[in-house]
Amino acid sequence: WRRSRMATQATGTPASLKPPPREGETPWPPPAETRWNDWRALVPPKLGDWEPSATVSVVIPAYQAQRELELVLAVLTEQSYPRSLTQVVVVDDGSSPPIELGALADGLEIELIYRKRHDTRFGAGGARNLGARNAEGEILVFLDADMVPCPELIEAHARWHHLASDLATQGM
């Protein structure tokens, strides 16, 4: 999911009416020019054949998943997408004992949010929403703590968002 121009600013002005990006900001691509939801007109670049510029936040809800999360974070350090453009937000949904990152943050920007379980129904959905609210990336990628991504996952998603500002991608 890309924080897109379709969002509305606090002033009520559609974000698509925002002024052009300032120097140093990532310019948004235009919306996709497709008819009737026919996305075949968009052809993403091949993996490794393009220059990423957008920041990506990977949001991971976790509950009682220390070992699984360690494996997921280890694979995230090996992603083909630049680490300098990647943030990881882990939301510990009340694990006992709490999840610890320790040496897992090897070169990644990781934010760990602890959520005390007041209601047993909070669950992964609420943890994802909390992570998304705290994410700083222009593109959001959601993983679960037991989903081990391939090394090109972030790049594969992000390349679509560099084509158009109004896309949502899914799949792993």
Side-chain angles (χ1 to χ4, degrees), residues 2-3 10-11 36 48 55 85 95 97 104 106-107 112 121-122 130-133 141 152 155 161-162 164 167 169 172:
R2 183 168 189 154
R3 295 172 188 253
T11 62
W36 309 106
T55 56
L85 297 174
S95 300
L104 299 177
D106 183 31
L112 178 59
R121 299 210 181 268
F122 181 70
L130 179 60
R133 282 192 300 273
V141 174
E152 298 86 15
E155 181 184 1
H161 296 285
H162 282 74
L167 297 178
T169 59
M172 186 163 142

Side-chain angles (χ1 to χ4, degrees), residues 5 85 113:
R5 298 148 114 357
L85 297 174
I113 301 169

Side-chain angles (χ1 to χ4, degrees), residues 138-162:
E138 297 165 293
I139 301 169
L140 300 180
V141 174
F142 296 94
L143 294 177
D144 287 334
D146 61 352
M147 294 174 66
V148 180
C150 67
E152 298 86 15
L153 176 82
I154 297 173
E155 181 184 1
H157 277 275
R159 67 187 175 149
W160 286 96
H161 296 285
H162 282 74

Side-chain angles (χ1 to χ4, degrees), residues 58-149:
V58 180
V59 178
I60 307 172
Y63 177 69
Q64 304 293 84
Q66 179 74 42
R67 288 184 55 202
E68 295 88 343
L69 184 62
E70 289 173 5
L71 181 56
V72 172
L73 293 176
V75 174
L76 286 176
T77 65
E78 301 299 322
Q79 288 292 303
S80 60
Y81 202 77
R83 286 186 190 184
S84 61
L85 297 174
T86 306
Q87 172 198 36
V88 178
V89 180
V90 176
V91 181
D92 182 348
D93 192 23
S95 300
S96 180
I99 288 177
E100 294 182 15
L101 294 179
L104 299 177
D106 183 31
L108 284 175
E109 178 188 337
I110 301 180
E111 180 178 350
L112 178 59
I113 301 169
Y114 292 103
R115 169 76 164 72
K116 195 173 200 176
R117 278 187 170 233
H118 299 289
D119 176 7
T120 57
R121 299 210 181 268
F122 181 70
R128 270 187 212 95
N129 290 340
L130 179 60
R133 282 192 300 273
N134 285 276
E136 297 173 2
E138 297 165 293
I139 301 169
L140 300 180
V141 174
F142 296 94
L143 294 177
D144 287 334
D146 61 352
M147 294 174 66
V148 180

